[in-house]
Structures are given as structure tokens and as C-alpha cells.
Amino acid sequence: MQKPHKLSTALLFFCAMSQVNAEQFISLNLCSDRLLIDLARSEQIAAMSPYSQNPLMMLDKINTDKPTLEPKLTELLPYLDKTILVNEYFYPQLVESLKRLGAKIMPINDTAQTPEQLFELILQLGKLTGNEEQAEKLVEKLQSQSFRLNSPLAETLILSDTGIVETTLPQYQTLLNLLGLKPLKNSLTQQNFSLEKVLLSQPNVLISLTDKQGYNEQAELLHHPILQKIFANRPLATAPLKYTYCFDHGIWQGAEIIYHQLK
């Protein structure tokens, strides 16, 4: 009766050692933090960026138990045996130094411009971390979600704490597409933005993205009495700014929040 017990003990020890020796990952920027924490198992994450502990930047999960690292070679030297997720365009010199030292780099370069390309990145990261099933479930969930509004008058202005957003960026294009909305025909920019131009553009829908932490003169226009009067009988929605910091699954979460306010 003891032999099976010994075998079970040996098997448990082997499994524990396999987990200890399993490949581990480090994230050096916000967008890879958000993907890694949703796709990898906790024991696979060796360290994350300082952004990972900021609930105003992360989604529904934050880093509560992993070390945080600045993107500096001196901080990364003890982690050269880990796989490092990093935006190569943010830290080109650091990446070059890491490669010379033989570190394994997984680029998270914001190259995804469409939902299909984002899904491909999620599946790629799932394969890299050995969590294909988790990645496939996330992609299937995003593909199945529908937040399309029945809105024939759909020209939309999006304001944030940093001013007017560039709706040509993939996260805002996708957000509007998910909701069945479209940007203003005569788009406004940071340079030509004013209350007068907002009134002349006559947006049908106004979306406000905010973390309620910063001040921006353009964003403050949301509280102008004239604008408030115009949108008293027009669709107006507010969502946390964190959902659009990255082109990732946060866009779908933000779209759901906006959808329930506008439907």
C-alpha cells in the first residue's frame, strides 16, 4: 500500500519542480502588463512595470504581489533568464543591450491596427506562455460580443482628460465600430479645437473618457453651460479613460459601459 503513496509523492515533487523551472515572463510597459496578467498564470509572472499597480491604468486585475521594474538595465540584470515583454520603440537602446546579453525579447510594439491583428497577438502570447486555451477563450469572447447601437445619427465627438482624442487611432476606431458610431465628418484636432468649433460641428453623440485625476482646458468644455444645454436631449456617455489607454480587450469593456448608457 506504500508504493502508490511513494509514487504519488514523487509525482507531486516532479510537478512542483516543473512549475518552479517553467518559463517566466517580465512586462516592461502598461499594454503588455494588461495582456500578461490576463493570459499568464501567476507563477509565470516574474515582474511587471510600475503601471501594473495603478488601478486607474489597469483593467479588472492589478499587480498585488509581483516586483515592479523600471526599464533600466541595472534592474533587469537579475532577470536575464526570463522572457521580457517590451515595446521596442519605447526603449530601443535598452532592447539592444538586452539582446547583446542574450535576453529573450517578446516585442509588444502596438503594431496591431485591427481587431483581427489584436486577436492574432493574443493567440501568439497565449502560445508563448503555454496558455492557448485561455487566449482562445478571450478571443472567442471578444468576437462574440455585440454592442451595436441603433443610432442613425451617429456622428460622435470623444473628449478625454487629455483633450480631444484622435479617432484615427485603432482603439478609438474599434470603439466606435463596436458601438455602430462614426467620427465627425469635419474632425477636430488639438490644434483647431474650441467651444465654437464643437458647436459648429454639431455632434450627435458625445463620449467623455476620464480618470477624474487631471485637468485639461479642452476637457473642461464638457461642463460649459452651452454644451450641457445642447446635450441635454442628446446621447451623452462617460467611461473611465483606462479602457482606451491600449488597443486591447479593454476597448470591448469600455464599449459595454458606453453601450448601456446610450442604448
Side-chain angles (χ1 to χ4, degrees):
M1 295 296 292
Q2 293 299 314
K3 286 185 179 180
H5 174 72
K6 289 181 179 178
L7 180 61
S8 299
T9 302
L11 184 59
L12 288 172
F13 177 77
F14 175 77
C15 291
M17 290 302 296
S18 296
Q19 289 184 346
V20 169
N21 296 323
E23 185 174 9
Q24 289 187 301
F25 301 86
I26 291 171
S27 167
L28 290 184
N29 47 278
L30 172 65
C31 296
S32 54
D33 285 341
R34 289 165 39 139
L35 286 170
L36 186 64
I37 203 168
D38 260 343
L39 294 176
R41 301 185 303 277
S42 178
E43 67 271 15
Q44 291 181 290
I45 302 175
M48 306 184 80
S49 87
Y51 298 117
S52 66
Q53 294 182 334
N54 187 339
L56 293 176
M57 292 188 169
M58 295 290 283
L59 298 175
D60 52 350
K61 297 177 184 176
I62 61 171
N63 171 21
T64 59
D65 60 349
K66 308 298 180 186
T68 58
L69 301 177
E70 295 288 346
K72 298 176 181 177
L73 187 59
T74 51
E75 294 202 16
L76 290 166
L77 288 176
Y79 296 90
L80 293 180
D81 59 333
K82 317 301 182 188
T83 298
I84 301 172
L85 279 59
V86 59
N87 189 318
E88 296 174 304
Y89 301 131
F90 288 176
Y91 315 111
Q93 293 180 332
L94 175 62
V95 169
E96 280 300 312
S97 298
L98 289 170
K99 287 181 177 178
R100 283 197 298 269
L101 291 171
K104 184 177 178 182
I105 303 293
M106 167 64 176
I108 305 291
N109 290 340
D110 298 333
T111 51
Q113 298 292 302
T114 65
E116 290 71 27
Q117 291 171 344
L118 172 62
F119 300 157
E120 185 179 342
L121 173 63
I122 291 172
L123 294 174
Q124 182 183 1
L125 191 55
K127 185 175 182 180
L128 178 70
T129 60
N131 295 293
E132 292 97 334
E133 184 177 353
Q134 176 77 1
E136 289 169 2
K137 285 182 178 178
L138 177 57
V139 169
E140 289 172 2
K141 177 183 177 182
L142 299 181
Q143 289 176 326
S144 66
Q145 289 180 308
S146 176
F147 308 111
R148 199 166 187 84
L149 296 160
N150 182 18
S151 179
L153 299 175
E155 285 194 42
T156 304
L157 173 66
I158 305 178
L159 290 179
S160 78
D161 286 346
T162 56
I164 189 169
V165 307
E166 298 290 341
T167 52
T168 56
L169 294 175
Q171 59 262 50
Y172 299 113
Q173 287 183 334
T174 300
L175 179 69
L176 291 175
N177 287 338
L178 286 170
L179 293 164
L181 302 174
K182 56 187 178 182
L184 297 173
K185 288 181 181 177
N186 299 317
S187 61
L188 302 176
T189 65
Q190 298 279 9
Q191 290 72 32
N192 71 0
F193 186 86
S194 67
L195 177 61
E196 180 183 5
K197 290 188 179 297
V198 171
L199 298 178
L200 290 174
S201 69
Q202 290 292 302
N204 305 119
V205 180
L206 179 61
I207 294 174
S208 169
L209 303 172
T210 180
D211 62 12
K212 299 180 181 179
Q213 296 294 308
Y215 172 83
N216 181 281
E217 185 177 354
Q218 295 177 0
E220 282 301 303
L221 286 178
L222 282 171
H223 306 296
H224 197 284
I226 296 177
L227 204 59
Q228 290 288 318
K229 184 176 181 180
I230 289 175
F231 278 92
N233 297 309
R234 295 190 194 185
L236 170 63
T238 302
L241 187 57
K242 65 182 182 180
Y243 292 114
T244 59
Y245 278 133
C246 299
F247 182 38
D248 62 9
H249 49 307
I251 302 301
W252 279 255
Q253 295 179 23
E256 183 174 12
I257 290 173
I258 294 169
Y259 171 77
H260 288 300
Q261 294 176 57
L262 296 180
K263 68 176 181 177

